[in-house]
């Protein structure tokens, strides 16, 4: 199953769905319309995706938990998360799926030899810090902790259907932290990013510094949290 | 004297107000208990100012007003924390409901489509 969380992505979602279907014809494509104000959900359905429509915006984390709940109830044994803005290469989905034979979560890493993906300044420090910290927790190298291009196997699906953080960075860093604490194995595969087709990434210095602060906060909160199976959020 | 009369009147009005909210079912018991205790303590202290002076001396505060301010701040902070806690828990529940709504809606659509195909 391919899960595409989408918020106001009517300009790119149909193309992404079509490309994903072409790349992995046997997969079920689910678009989680995260309370879009435009016709993202309609465009996704027209393109042939099954659309889950959230009544209001809950963030990528909430959208992904919806997708994992769906996957669990429908009995899917693998979920690949792909962004709706077209920055991920659908051709690399298979590589993320193959990685599931050796781990519960496979993260598509933008940092690898030969990668053209470059990040500088506070944002880079934040990413390095997160990577160092989570790698140490996982006892394996996770070079790109904030990648939204990743796959999850059966154990990760049943964990994430119950708890998937909705806070800022929770969908990436937070979910990895939860998975590590729950004893899931994580590995990574190199991926290449397409430049964003629609929408522009925020890159101002102030934003980057803020990002560093929030990343640190997100990580420390996640590290403080108890094992997800004993936390109260599960009961909610 | 007039100040303590004012204090008594204020605590009584607060008590009546909370009880009325409770009676009309606007305020839930778990919040009402707190405000009833606060109003109750205020009433007792305003009826018997000597009690406040005794507690002040026993706890080692210089002025009774300082004890009142201290107590008030502690209570208000606790209330604020409790409300944040309740808010977080509600956010988590609302989010869960939103997710469930999305899944149910898709299930209804699927059954609807299947029904429409069956009709033809």
């Amino acid at each position: 199953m391919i899960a595409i969380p989408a918020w106001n992505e009517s300009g790119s979602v149909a193309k992404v769905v079509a490309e994903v279907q072409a790349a992995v014809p046997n997969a079920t494509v689910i678009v989680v319309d995260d309370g879009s104000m435009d016709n993202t959900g309609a465009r996704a359905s027209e393109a042939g995706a099954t659309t889950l429509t959230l009544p209001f915006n809950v963030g990528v984390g909430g959208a992904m938990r919806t997708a994992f709940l769906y996957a669990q109830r429908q009995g899917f044994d693998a979920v690949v998360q792909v962004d709706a803005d077209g920055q991920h290469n659908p051709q690399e989905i298979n590589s993320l799926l193959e990685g599931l034979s050796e781990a519960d979560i496979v993260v598509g890493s933008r940092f690898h030899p030969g990668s053209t993906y470059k990040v500088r300044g506070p944002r880079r420090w934040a990413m390095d810090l997160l990577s160092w910290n989570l790698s140490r927790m996982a006892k394996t190298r996770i070079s790109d902790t904030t990648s939204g291009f990743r796959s999850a196997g059966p154990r990760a699906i049943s964990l994430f259907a119950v708890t998937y953080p909705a806070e800022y960075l929770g969908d990436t860093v937070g979910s990895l932290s939860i998975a590590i604490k729950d004893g899931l194995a994580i590995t990574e595969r190199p991926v290449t990013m397409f430049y964003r087709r629609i929408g522009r990434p925020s890159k101002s210095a102030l934003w980057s510094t803020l990002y560093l602060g929030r990343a640190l906060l997100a990580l420390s909160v996640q590290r403080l949290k108890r094992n997800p199976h004993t936390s109260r959020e599960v009961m909610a | 004297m007039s100040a303590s009369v004012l204090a008594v009147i204020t605590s009584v009005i607060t008590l009546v107000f909370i009880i009325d909210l409770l009676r009309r079912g606007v305020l839930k018991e778990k919040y009402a208990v707190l405000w009833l205790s606060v109003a109750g303590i205020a009433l007792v202290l305003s009826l018997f100012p000597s009690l406040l002076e005794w507690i002040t001396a026993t706890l080692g505060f210089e002025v009774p007003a300082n004890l009142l301010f201290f107590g008030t701040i502690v209570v208000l902070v606790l209330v604020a924390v409790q409300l944040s806690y309740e808010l977080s828990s509600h956010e988590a529940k609302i989010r869960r409901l939103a997710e469930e709504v999305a899944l149910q809606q898709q299930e209804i659509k699927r059954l609807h489509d299947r029904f429409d195909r069956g009709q033809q």
Side-chain angles (χ1 to χ4, degrees), chain B residues 38-108:
Chain B
V38 169
I41 292 171
L43 182 63
V44 170
L45 290 180
S46 51
L47 283 174
F48 309 103
S50 55
L51 186 64
L52 179 64
E53 278 156 27
W54 179 77
I55 301 173
T56 304
T58 311
L59 292 180
F61 282 86
E62 295 272 339
V63 193
N66 285 350
L67 173 63
L68 281 184
F69 285 135
F70 175 73
T72 310
I73 290 167
V74 168
V75 168
L76 290 181
V77 166
L78 287 179
V79 170
V81 171
Q82 190 208 6
L83 290 180
S84 308
Y85 170 84
E86 300 283 346
L87 192 64
S88 305
S89 131
H90 282 140
E91 271 179 27
K93 286 175 185 167
I94 290 170
R95 184 183 146 210
R96 184 52 102 184
L97 278 177
E99 295 168 8
E100 205 59 57
V101 165
L103 293 179
Q104 300 299 337
Q105 204 173 40
Q106 166 57 29
E107 184 64 9
I108 291 168

Side-chain angles (χ1 to χ4, degrees), chain A residues 33-77:
Chain A
D33 176 9
D34 188 9
S36 296
M37 306 296 279
D38 59 9
N39 55 353
T40 297
R43 297 298 305 274
S45 299
E46 285 162 22
T50 300
T51 310
L52 304 176
T53 309
L54 286 157
F56 46 81
N57 185 262
V58 294
V60 183
M64 281 313 295
R65 190 167 70 175
T66 314
F68 283 115
L69 258 180
Y70 184 85
Q72 188 183 45
R73 290 184 188 171
Q74 303 290 321
F76 287 102
D77 54 9

Side-chain angles (χ1 to χ4, degrees), chain A residues 44-125:
Chain A
S45 299
E46 285 162 22
T50 300
T51 310
L52 304 176
T53 309
L54 286 157
F56 46 81
N57 185 262
V58 294
V60 183
M64 281 313 295
R65 190 167 70 175
T66 314
F68 283 115
L69 258 180
Y70 184 85
Q72 188 183 45
R73 290 184 188 171
Q74 303 290 321
F76 287 102
D77 54 9
V79 171
V80 183
Q81 177 186 347
V82 180
D83 275 4
D85 59 6
Q87 63 172 318
H88 299 149
N89 181 356
Q91 298 301 327
E92 291 168 336
I93 289 173
N94 278 316
S95 152
L96 295 184
L97 281 171
E98 282 154 18
L100 286 177
S101 59
E102 56 186 78
D104 299 301
I105 295 171
V106 183
V107 182
S109 172
R110 294 162 288 188
F111 301 115
H112 52 85
S115 165
T116 54
Y117 183 69
K118 292 279 182 288
V119 187
R120 274 181 215 92
R123 196 183 155 93
R124 176 76 223 207
W125 309 334

Side-chain angles (χ1 to χ4, degrees), chain A residues 1 6 18 20 31-32 59-60 69 72 79 88 106 111 126 129 136 141 149 151 157 163 174 190 234 236:
Chain A
M1 183 188 121
V20 167
V31 170
V32 187
V60 183
L69 258 180
Q72 188 183 45
V79 171
H88 299 149
V106 183
F111 301 115
L129 191 73
R136 233 173 52 129
R141 177 149 172 73
F149 193 22
S151 65
I157 291 172
T163 175
V234 177

